[in-house]
Amino acid sequence: MDLERRAWLRGIWETLKEILLQKILTYHLRSSPLVLPSHLEGLNVIVTGATSGIGLHTARELAMAGAHVVMACRNVNAANEIAQQWRQDAYHGRALNVKVMELDLLSLSSVRQFAVEWDQHLKSLHILINNAGILRMGERQECSKDGVEQHLQVNHVAPALLTLLLLPSMLKATTWRVVNVNSVTHHWGMVELRSWKSRIEEHKYSGLKAYGSSKLVHLMFLKALASNLLDQGCNSVQCVAVHPGVVTTNLVPGVQKKTFWRFEPSEGARSVLYCATSNQVVDKMVKGFAYYSSNCKPAKVSPQAAKMEACLDVWEATLSTLDLDINYLRFKLNPSCIRD
Ligand SMILES: NC(=O)c1ccc[n+]([C@@H]2O[C@H](COP(=O)([O-])OP(=O)(O)OC[C@H]3O[C@@H](n4cnc5c(N)ncnc54)[C@H](OP(=O)(O)O)[C@@H]3O)[C@@H](O)[C@H]2O)c1
């Protein structure tokens, strides 16, 4: 059986297991609050895609716990309305500290602009949650303005650039963490290291496969980033990828119907919040990286992602797509690995 078919079948199996077991495996989490009031005071957090679904609940819970939350969204009008409402609904006698900033992941220039504005206003970044994502099933292949297939752009290339550009801000913080809202479907993804700017033959294209592949390469990128930062002497590195569960959200247009086996968005946000805030996550990290499942427990990554060499190949392909030098970290970060 070829590699692609094997990955596909394994992905289906892992996803089915999640669907069948997620409610049972998270039963104990139902009543326990993950983030407590005032727990996160003084921390700056960015949540991408905070206008809907998992991102919306994640951003709100973090703000309720006292963090200063930046909602990085493409639909700024919708985000401002949500933020306005949250400020009015004071929590424990305090208005939520939220701010909206524009970010469209389909445009790398929007990502660069976001980073410039961030640097102008804020000093250190404690938690970056790369949550925004897309899944376009049954659609034709579409590319971004930057010439990258849309799943790869929104779910991997653009958040990778955002993470790299915000690294200096994160390194200013005593502790910092990057959380990527990933997916169990990374198991059915394939790493194709041909140029990510070339289109694939239309009859070979599937939105579902492109989604799984974008999640896989982002997980591998994050793992390589953590390892490279450690090699540069940045011992504070904490990178986590997390599967939130199968959740009723707007991710798949037209499939918002609630079913008993799916999570509500608030339940989907639980593992993300846990990975963003729990100290226990650090104990489970290997070379600065961990992958968690929706039950807030570490889980196995796909066999491709388990190989560090393959992750480093993805790292190189990502930097090349972004037109960044392979030694980007060395040029950009040293000696800023040391806090000021
Ligand atoms: N739902 C699930 O079962 C499930 C399972 C595994 C993983 N995930 C992951 O969870 C994350 C959150 O998804 P969700 O389920 O909460 O879906 P959702 O309700 O559709 O939320 C996705 C968010 O991403 C934003 N977004 C989409 N394209 C963007 C772009 N070009 N630039 C900036 N923001 C953009 C959306 O903004 P707009 O409102 O402007 O479109 C929205 O705020 C995704 O990464 C997804 O892959 C979800």
Side-chain angles (χ1 to χ4, degrees):
M1 207 187 309
D2 67 22
L3 208 63
E4 188 171 352
R5 209 173 154 71
R6 241 184 294 163
W8 181 249
L9 289 175
R10 194 182 42 251
I12 302 277
W13 168 240
E14 293 294 335
T15 310
L16 274 176
K17 267 199 312 194
E18 271 293 325
I19 290 173
L20 293 173
L21 298 177
Q22 67 175 24
K23 286 271 179 176
I24 299 166
L25 295 179
T26 56
Y27 193 78
H28 62 291
L29 296 175
R30 285 212 174 154
S31 55
S32 51
L34 285 166
V35 194
L36 303 169
S38 308
H39 173 177
L40 304 177
E41 242 157 53
L43 299 192
N44 294 322
V45 181
I46 294 175
V47 183
T48 68
T51 46
S52 129
I54 297 160
L56 185 142
H57 282 269
T58 302
R60 185 157 195 266
E61 291 261 336
L62 292 170
M64 281 160 56
H68 171 225
V69 176
V70 171
M71 302 167 71
C73 302
R74 63 173 167 178
N75 187 344
V76 282
N77 289 340
N80 273 320
E81 270 178 37
I82 294 165
Q84 180 69 19
Q85 188 61 50
W86 289 353
R87 286 187 208 106
Q88 283 165 11
D89 304 341
Y91 181 71
H92 282 256
R94 146 176 77 68
L96 301 193
N97 189 1
V98 283
K99 176 184 160 82
V100 173
M101 284 177 69
E102 186 169 358
L103 174 73
D104 181 359
L105 297 169
L106 272 172
S107 152
L108 295 181
S109 64
S110 168
V111 176
R112 291 194 184 91
Q113 182 58 30
F114 179 94
V116 167
E117 283 171 27
W118 173 269
D119 283 345
Q120 282 166 359
H121 297 296
L122 290 151
K123 279 200 151 187
S124 46
L125 173 60
H126 300 90
I127 306 171
L128 168 63
I129 304 186
N130 282 313
N131 160 77
I134 55 164
L135 166 54
R136 301 283 178 260
M137 285 206 289
E139 290 184 15
R140 289 168 66 89
Q141 184 175 190
E142 293 284 347
C143 291
S144 68
K145 285 184 223 154
D146 304 289
V148 180
E149 189 280 327
Q150 60 174 342
H151 292 91
L152 196 57
Q153 166 105 9
V154 174
N155 301 343
H156 169 52
V157 174
L161 178 62
L162 183 70
T163 307
L164 292 173
L165 295 177
L166 294 175
L167 267 178
S169 286
M170 289 192 266
L171 290 164
K172 282 181 189 153
T174 328
T175 57
W176 56 276
R177 199 171 285 181
V178 180
V179 177
N180 166 244
V181 184
N182 207 278
S183 171
V184 68
T185 62
H186 83 268
H187 279 275
W188 71 41
M190 290 296 295
V191 180
E192 289 175 35
L193 291 174
R194 59 184 171 75
S195 164
W196 286 344
K197 288 189 178 167
S198 56
R199 291 177 80 89
I200 64 166
E201 292 163 64
E202 203 57 58
H203 70 277
K204 289 191 181 159
Y205 181 78
S206 141
L208 210 48
K209 283 187 184 169
Y211 175 78
S213 299
S214 66
K215 291 293 181 185
L216 173 64
V217 289
H218 197 72
L219 187 152
M220 294 171 82
F221 167 84
L222 208 55
K223 199 173 151 183
L225 171 71
S227 166
N228 283 336
L229 282 169
L230 278 176
D231 291 347
Q232 296 288 320
C234 299
N235 296 321
S236 56
V237 58
Q238 298 179 9
C239 294
V240 196
V242 54
H243 168 65
V246 181
V247 190
T248 307
T249 65
N250 297 325
L251 186 66
V252 185
V255 190
Q256 286 101 339
K257 220 174 109 211
K258 289 185 187 178
T259 40
F260 73 94
W261 50 268
R262 278 182 207 239
F263 283 159
E264 293 288 320
S266 57
E267 295 172 308
R270 272 183 318 215
S271 54
V272 181
L273 288 163
Y274 180 81
C275 287
T277 60
S278 167
N279 288 334
Q280 287 167 16
V281 170
V282 185
D283 302 335
K284 305 289 178 198
M285 283 180 181
V286 178
K287 276 208 114 187
F289 174 85
Y291 171 64
Y292 271 71
S293 192
S294 59
N295 58 358
C296 301
K297 297 262 189 302
K300 262 193 171 172
V301 297
S302 79
Q304 292 182 85
K307 296 178 198 142
M308 183 55 86
E309 265 185 31
C311 296
L312 294 172
D313 289 342
V314 167
W315 167 261
E316 277 190 32
T318 307
L319 291 192
S320 150
T321 304
L322 291 169
D323 292 325
L324 296 175
D325 190 281
I326 186 68
N327 292 314
Y328 177 84
L329 287 186
R330 199 169 327 141
F331 294 149
K332 280 283 167 196
L333 298 184
N334 275 338
S336 62
C337 282
I338 300 146
R339 277 188 298 127
D340 59 14

